[in-house]
Amino acid sequence: MTDIIIYHNPECGTSRNALALIRNAGIEPHVIEYLKTPPSRALLVQLIERAGITPRDLLREKGTPYAQLGLGDASMSDAALIDAMMAHPILINRPLVVSPLGAKLCRPSEVVLDLLPAPQQGAFVKEDGQQVVDATGARVN
């Protein structure tokens, strides 16, 4: 069994699509609803490093207190951005997926295909109607 972890928000269409793509590969991931169970500061830092992104890359603006907290200020330190994400987990963008092949912020959701060690088992159409995988399990570009 392949260990895949998805930091998931069931209210987010991108997150739901990424989860469905993982399952379309025949893999049942560990699903962490990060708004209910936020990562520790150390784990969040580790996830950011493993994904090869910056804390700013992981910040979510839409539907969050991003503007109210002044997080658009480019002079804010990485530590301050992480502090904000710890205080307001909704600021953590999603879905963040970890697999034996690496870790990525999967936006758009089909980025998750790069992390899956198993092929897609059939066609996949995202919630918005966009086909991402054809009937043979091949990625559609």
Side-chain angles (χ1 to χ4, degrees):
M1 185 67 189
T2 301
D3 274 344
I4 306 266
I5 300 168
I6 181 170
Y7 291 87
H8 177 63
N9 179 349
E11 301 298 316
C12 172
T14 302
S15 196
R16 289 192 304 270
N17 283 320
L19 177 57
L21 280 162
I22 295 167
R23 289 177 171 156
N24 197 47
I27 299 167
E28 184 55 39
H30 299 282
V31 178
I32 298 173
E33 289 189 32
Y34 70 94
L35 294 177
K36 292 180 181 176
T37 311
S40 67
R41 183 184 184 87
L43 179 57
L44 184 61
V45 168
Q46 181 184 52
L47 290 168
I48 290 167
E49 289 174 358
R50 187 156 179 209
I53 59 176
T54 66
R56 186 162 298 284
D57 295 333
L58 190 59
L59 274 177
R60 180 170 178 81
E61 294 181 42
K62 184 179 171 186
T64 73
Y66 179 92
Q68 298 92 314
L69 295 173
L71 298 177
D73 179 351
S75 69
M76 288 191 82
S77 69
D78 286 351
L81 297 175
I82 291 170
D83 287 343
M85 287 186 263
M86 294 306 304
H88 306 278
I90 192 70
L91 288 165
I92 301 170
N93 214 338
R94 73 274 180 162
L96 193 59
V97 178
V98 180
S99 88
L101 300 178
K104 289 187 180 200
L105 175 60
C106 294
R107 299 192 72 82
S109 56
E110 54 269 27
V111 169
V112 77
L113 295 172
D114 299 333
L115 295 174
L116 300 179
Q120 293 290 287
Q121 296 181 342
F124 185 84
V125 177
K126 294 188 339 184
E127 291 179 5
D128 67 3
Q130 178 189 359
Q131 185 169 12
V132 199
V133 177
D134 68 19
T136 67
R139 192 174 191 163
V140 175
N141 288 332

